[in-house]
Structure formats: C-alpha cells, structure tokens
Amino acid sequence: LEAKEEFSHKTRAMDVMRPRKNDPPLTVITQDSMTVEDVETIVTKTTYSGYPVVVSRASQRLVGFVLRRDLIISIENARKKQDGIVSTSVICFTDYCPPLPPSSPSVLKLRSILDLSPFTVTDETPMEIVVDIFRKLGLRQCLVTHNGKLLGIITKKDVLKHIAQMANQDPNSILFN
Ligand code: ADP
C-alpha cells in the first residue's frame, strides 16, 4: 500500500507535459514581435489547438493563451476587411501597441482573442492534483511553469493517456476512487 501511494505521488506535471525530452520546443507566439506571415506559418505547420503567448522567446514569460481557430479566423478577417493588414504587419497582443515607423504596415491588434488567464501549474505539481483540476474545472489544457517561466503544456488528451497508463500499471490506482 505504501509503495502504491509513493508511486502515485511520483508522477509530476513535468513527466506528463509536452515537449518531452528531445522533442522540439513548445510552439509559442510572442506578444508583439511576430508578423502575420510568421503566425500564418505556425498555424499551417502545426495542428495544435492553441499556442501560449509569451513576452519574448528569451524570457518565456507567459502572457496568455490563444486558440488556433481564433487566430485563423481573425487573421483571415483582418486580411479581407482591415485596411493595411499585409503579411509583414506585426501582430500585437498587448494592451498598448508601440508605434512603428510611419512607413511600416498597420499593426494587427489581437488582444481580444487572447485568454489572459490560462490555467497554470508548476512542473512539480503531482499529477493527481493536475487530474483533479482537469476534472473539476473541465480544462482543455493547462500550462506548466517553473519559476514563472513557461515550460510546457498538458492537454486533456495527455491527461487521459496518463490515466490509462496508470490504470495499466496499477489497476487500483487512487485516481479512480
Ligand atoms: P490533443 O492533445 O487533444 O491532441 P493538441 O492537438 O493541441 O491537442 O496537442 C497535441 C499534442 O501536442 C499534445 O500532446 C500536447 O501536449 C502538445 N501540444 C499542444 N500545444 C502545443 C504547443 N503549442 N507546442 C508544442 N506542443 C503542444
């Protein structure tokens, strides 16, 4: 019994989150330095349901979370209906968008589609608690941080896979009680 309990406490958010070791890094969007073309490339080359938005790649400070479908729709609409939005337009998720030189194309402001408080846990959080949070709050995804820096993501499917794995290894896992 004790061993089982120990086992169930062993798995932490860092063990379930993506990216795993040797995976390519998390696909993120920066808050005010990517162009329409940059973001279009990301949504074309990846199929993730959403992307964390960070202050900068170097800082990895989390600003929010944006859904792929909202990005696609907003960019498509802006390209059709908003004057001056072109491939080289900068996308800005911040409240205040710094003015650019007069010669540069219009900025595409997308703050309205940003979820400013995505759920986060630290990498040390036991998976038991993460599973509980997913169940109780009906989360679709949860971001993982370490010392305030974005580290990874856990989706509902990742959690379900983790539960199935636990069940295989330990049919009486307390996760099912
Ligand atoms: P699902 O888990 O339902 O298939 P996604 O398509 O969003 O949802 O994610 C697929 C896998 O990629 C999951 O294992 C998830 O942890 C991971 N993932 C999700 N978003 C990102 C991202 N922005 N960058 C890297 N990996 C991601």
Side-chain angles (χ1 to χ4, degrees), residues 17-19 25-28 47-52 153-158 161:
M17 70 172 201
R18 307 302 157 113
L26 199 62
T27 303
V28 298
T47 58
Y48 306 125
S49 316
Y51 308 90
I153 185 169
I154 299 176
T155 65
K156 184 175 167 182
K157 233 183 238 174
D158 294 329
K161 275 185 217 157

Side-chain angles (χ1 to χ4, degrees), residues 16-176:
V16 175
M17 70 172 201
R18 307 302 157 113
R20 292 279 170 85
K21 235 189 193 170
N22 303 325
D23 277 355
L26 199 62
T27 303
V28 298
I29 294 174
T30 55
Q31 65 175 358
D32 59 4
S33 56
M34 282 187 170
T35 63
V36 164
E37 192 175 16
D38 292 336
V39 174
E40 281 173 339
T41 304
I42 287 178
V43 298
T44 311
K45 292 217 165 134
T46 65
T47 58
Y48 306 125
S49 316
Y51 308 90
V53 175
V54 293
V55 172
S56 63
R57 273 189 202 287
S59 77
Q60 287 294 306
R61 298 275 161 203
L62 183 65
V63 176
F65 191 79
V66 65
L67 291 178
R68 172 199 172 75
R69 59 160 191 271
D70 290 343
L71 271 178
I72 293 173
I73 292 168
S74 300
I75 293 176
E76 218 174 83
N77 275 342
R79 271 194 182 274
K80 271 190 219 147
K81 296 174 191 159
Q82 226 172 298
D83 267 351
I85 300 298
V86 292
S87 297
T88 51
S89 293
V90 167
I91 294 186
C92 183
F93 291 95
T94 52
D95 216 0
Y96 170 73
C97 303
L100 293 168
S103 58
S104 41
S106 303
V107 170
L108 175 52
K109 296 180 183 179
L110 289 185
R111 188 167 182 85
S112 60
I113 61 166
L114 186 64
D115 174 0
L116 289 165
S117 29
F119 209 90
T120 61
V121 295
T122 68
D123 55 344
E124 302 276 353
T125 309
M127 272 313 289
E128 259 184 311
I129 293 176
V130 176
V131 169
D132 214 36
I133 294 170
F134 264 85
R135 283 193 175 139
K136 288 189 174 141
L137 301 184
L139 297 184
R140 306 295 301 267
Q141 68 279 120
C142 175
L143 299 171
V144 183
T145 60
H146 179 80
N147 287 340
K149 284 191 179 187
L150 180 66
L151 213 63
I153 185 169
I154 299 176
T155 65
K156 184 175 167 182
K157 233 183 238 174
D158 294 329
V159 169
L160 291 173
K161 275 185 217 157
H162 165 72
I163 293 175
Q165 243 170 28
M166 294 290 283
N168 278 341
Q169 288 165 5
D170 176 9
N172 299 313
S173 163
I174 53 162
L175 291 167
F176 281 99

